[in-house]
Amino acid sequence: MNGTLNLLQTLPRIVYVIVHGAENSDFVEPLRDKCGYIIFIENQLKNEQCCGVINSNYFTINTKLFTESLKYNSCLNKKISIDKDGQIKNCPSMKQSFGNISDTTLEECLNLKDFKKYWDINKDQIEVCKDCEFRYICTDCRAYKENPDNDYSKPLKCGYDPYTNVWKEWSTNPLKQNAIEFYGLNDLVNEKD
């Protein structure tokens, strides 16, 4: 934890750091006003394919997320990521890269036309989500969608049906199998079995 604290003190613009594979889930209050949170989660994230799961355990009920979700994407708004290979992306799970951190600045990426294209896609625009009672407290995933060709398709890894109010395991839904195959998530799904 000392290394994470040092990082947050050295780079004061970092809002939060998530540490996965922790012994216990925990939340450390921010070092400064609205910046410097540390979130420990027990889940072990093996790779970027673990991202994008929609689960009621991950719902966040606070004014900031609620009001941001009214107009912006609850996961990608103002987000910039660098994957394990140094590729600059909206999210490490997304295929599209906007350059490599070794030869492209973050500012250059932010100024590219397509970099912010997902920032304004909110839950009121997404198929099925727009009818969901949880849409303003739920994070959204544009990296894994039920219909990979539709930027407004429901998140693939959501098993909730707002029309029946029932949660089911997303990975076993027969209607999602083509998208699971498209994204190469078969190994991840098979680990659950």
Side-chain angles (χ1 to χ4, degrees):
M1 179 149 128
N2 288 339
T4 304
L5 285 172
N6 289 339
L7 176 72
L8 292 171
Q9 289 168 340
T10 305
L11 303 169
R13 294 183 73 188
I14 294 177
V15 176
Y16 62 87
V17 172
I18 299 174
V19 179
H20 67 90
E23 286 185 27
N24 298 302
S25 294
D26 197 9
F27 176 82
V28 177
E29 292 294 325
L31 298 175
R32 295 163 304 285
D33 184 40
K34 300 180 184 175
C35 286
Y37 293 89
I38 305 173
I39 303 165
F40 294 92
I41 59 172
E42 293 176 46
N43 293 359
Q44 180 68 39
L45 305 179
K46 296 179 182 177
N47 59 42
E48 67 280 355
Q49 290 183 332
C50 295
C51 188
V53 175
I54 309 297
N55 184 308
S56 62
N57 292 332
Y58 302 146
F59 287 172
T60 304
I61 303 170
N62 64 50
T63 304
K64 181 186 179 301
L65 178 69
F66 179 85
T67 54
E68 183 178 24
S69 295
L70 294 172
K71 187 168 180 175
Y72 302 103
N73 188 275
S74 56
C75 182
L76 297 175
N77 184 42
K78 299 181 184 177
K79 185 182 211 177
I80 189 165
S81 298
I82 303 167
D83 75 6
K84 65 185 183 308
D85 298 318
Q87 297 301 313
I88 304 169
K89 302 177 175 186
N90 293 115
C91 167
S93 298
M94 294 182 133
K95 301 239 184 276
Q96 185 176 13
S97 171
F98 296 91
N100 191 287
I101 195 65
S102 64
D103 56 22
T104 307
T105 68
L106 299 179
E107 184 176 2
E108 288 172 320
C109 288
L110 287 170
N111 289 325
L112 293 172
K113 179 184 168 222
D114 284 345
F115 189 82
K116 298 177 186 178
K117 78 177 187 177
Y118 296 108
W119 288 15
D120 294 334
I121 297 177
N122 64 50
K123 291 286 190 136
D124 288 327
Q125 299 167 312
I126 297 171
E127 296 168 0
V128 182
C129 296
K130 63 186 173 188
D131 297 324
C132 182
E133 68 270 32
F134 301 119
R135 68 187 173 274
Y136 302 129
I137 60 172
C138 175
T139 55
D140 178 45
C141 181
R142 297 294 85 208
Y144 301 113
K145 302 167 291 202
E146 285 187 348
N147 178 350
D149 296 325
N150 180 356
D151 284 338
Y152 298 92
S153 180
K154 178 183 175 181
L156 174 64
K157 297 180 184 180
C158 178
Y160 183 67
D161 182 344
Y163 309 112
T164 63
N165 296 45
V166 174
W167 285 92
K168 293 184 179 175
E169 174 57 42
W170 68 270
S171 63
T172 58
N173 183 331
L175 300 175
K176 296 186 181 220
Q177 298 312 304
N178 287 339
I180 289 170
E181 190 172 315
F182 174 85
Y183 291 115
L185 298 174
N186 295 327
D187 290 341
L188 179 72
V189 169
N190 292 335
E191 284 181 15
K192 291 181 167 196
D193 295 340

